[in-house]
Amino acid sequence: QVQLVESGGGLVQAGGSLRLSCAASGRTFSSYAMGWFRQAPGKEREFVASLNWNGIVTDYAASVKGRFTVSRDNAKNMVYLQMNSLKPEDTAIYYCATPRSGGGLYRSLYQYHYWGQGTQVTVSS
């Protein structure tokens, strides 16, 4: 079974930065794509960012492009989401996820099978 554990969330003021981490275990991490999603209260879970199996190709939601950076360290079985210039609308629970198979890019939550427990990010105005 694949296990994903997010960390690094917290409370920051608008304009601040946070780096989220996701530790993966249970399968060969380097063979699979990874994604980040977020869910605000009362809203659907939405795509944030993803990267392919080796971290070379990335994809971002328009709302975070230019502010967030997704990366991975396959040697450490870790994926990261660096969040800069945070806005109150970034407030959400952030989840990392990986598909059942495949190392390419995906942005639909329905293409992901394994999910972490989420970490809360709160951005004050």
Side-chain angles (χ1 to χ4, degrees), residues 22-124:
C22 176
S25 63
R27 72 177 182 181
T28 304
F29 179 75
S30 61
S31 297
Y32 300 93
M34 297 292 295
W36 285 97
F37 292 78
R38 66 187 182 186
Q39 188 165 22
K43 295 185 177 180
E44 296 182 346
R45 192 168 299 186
E46 66 176 1
F47 169 78
V48 176
S50 64
L51 76 176
N52 75 330
W53 66 275
N54 61 9
I56 293 176
V57 183
T58 58
D59 190 24
Y60 299 93
S63 59
V64 307
K65 200 167 189 176
R67 300 188 297 120
F68 291 10
T69 303
V70 63
S71 61
R72 67 193 298 162
D73 186 340
N74 286 347
K76 297 179 179 179
N77 287 358
M78 297 287 290
V79 63
Y80 307 98
L81 185 68
Q82 178 66 46
M83 305 185 295
N84 299 325
S85 301
L86 284 163
K87 305 174 181 179
E89 50 263 46
D90 294 319
T91 295
I93 300 174
Y94 283 71
Y95 300 88
C96 66
T98 190
R100 192 186 301 272
S101 62
L105 289 173
Y106 308 103
R107 62 163 56 208
S108 172
L109 63 87
Y110 302 107
Q111 296 174 292
Y112 293 82
H113 186 258
Y114 302 101
W115 296 82
Q117 84 288 352
T119 185
Q120 177 70 48
V121 172
T122 303
V123 184
S124 62

